[in-house]
Amino acid sequence: QVQLVESGGGLVQVGGSLRLSCAASGTIFSINVMGWYRQAPGNQRELVAIIRGDGTTNYADSAKGRFTISRDNAKNTVYLKMNSLKPEDTAVYYCNAGAVHTTTGVYNYWGQGTQVTVSS
């Protein structure tokens, strides 16, 4: 069984920074894509950023220039460094691991979510 455990959320003032971490545990051979999504109250879950095993990345327009996604393949961990935070970044942030190769097949997993609140 694979689990994703997130950490690093919290309350921060406008213009501040936070770093989210998400570690995947279990019997994992490889993870093709890892990423971060977020969901604000009343909104649908939306992509923030993804990073592939080869290090290539994609960002939502709202994240470009302010957020940086990175990963440590040896630790099956993905990070999201968020700078210049705005009130509209307030949301629950979810970690995703896509195409996780395990002993029983290839699956997609989600973390439990971590709250990020940006106060003005």
Side-chain angles (χ1 to χ4, degrees), residues 1-78:
Q1 182 71 15
V2 173
Q3 290 187 323
L4 302 183
V5 178
E6 299 143 339
S7 61
L11 175 65
V12 65
Q13 292 186 334
V14 170
S17 298
L18 282 175
R19 187 190 190 219
L20 306 183
S21 300
C22 171
S25 62
T27 304
I28 299 170
F29 296 131
S30 66
I31 303 175
N32 285 10
V33 181
M34 300 189 80
W36 291 95
Y37 294 72
R38 68 186 183 186
Q39 187 168 16
N43 291 354
Q44 291 186 336
R45 190 173 299 188
E46 62 180 10
L47 170 73
V48 177
I50 60 169
I51 183 168
R52 301 172 186 84
D54 62 2
T56 58
T57 59
N58 286 97
Y59 291 90
D61 287 343
S62 59
K64 290 178 181 176
R66 299 188 299 126
F67 296 0
T68 303
I69 190 169
S70 59
R71 65 187 283 176
D72 184 331
N73 290 332
K75 296 181 179 179
N76 289 324
T77 298
V78 63

Side-chain angles (χ1 to χ4, degrees), residues 1 62 90 112 119:
Q1 182 71 15
S62 59
T90 295
Q112 80 283 359
S119 68

Side-chain angles (χ1 to χ4, degrees), residues 90-105:
T90 295
V92 178
Y93 283 69
Y94 295 91
C95 173
N96 174 263
V100 179
H101 294 252
T102 72
T103 57
T104 59

Side-chain angles (χ1 to χ4, degrees), residues 12 14-18 66-67 82-87 89 118:
V12 65
V14 170
S17 298
L18 282 175
R66 299 188 299 126
F67 296 0
M82 303 185 292
N83 296 325
S84 303
L85 283 162
K86 306 175 182 180
D89 295 317
V118 184

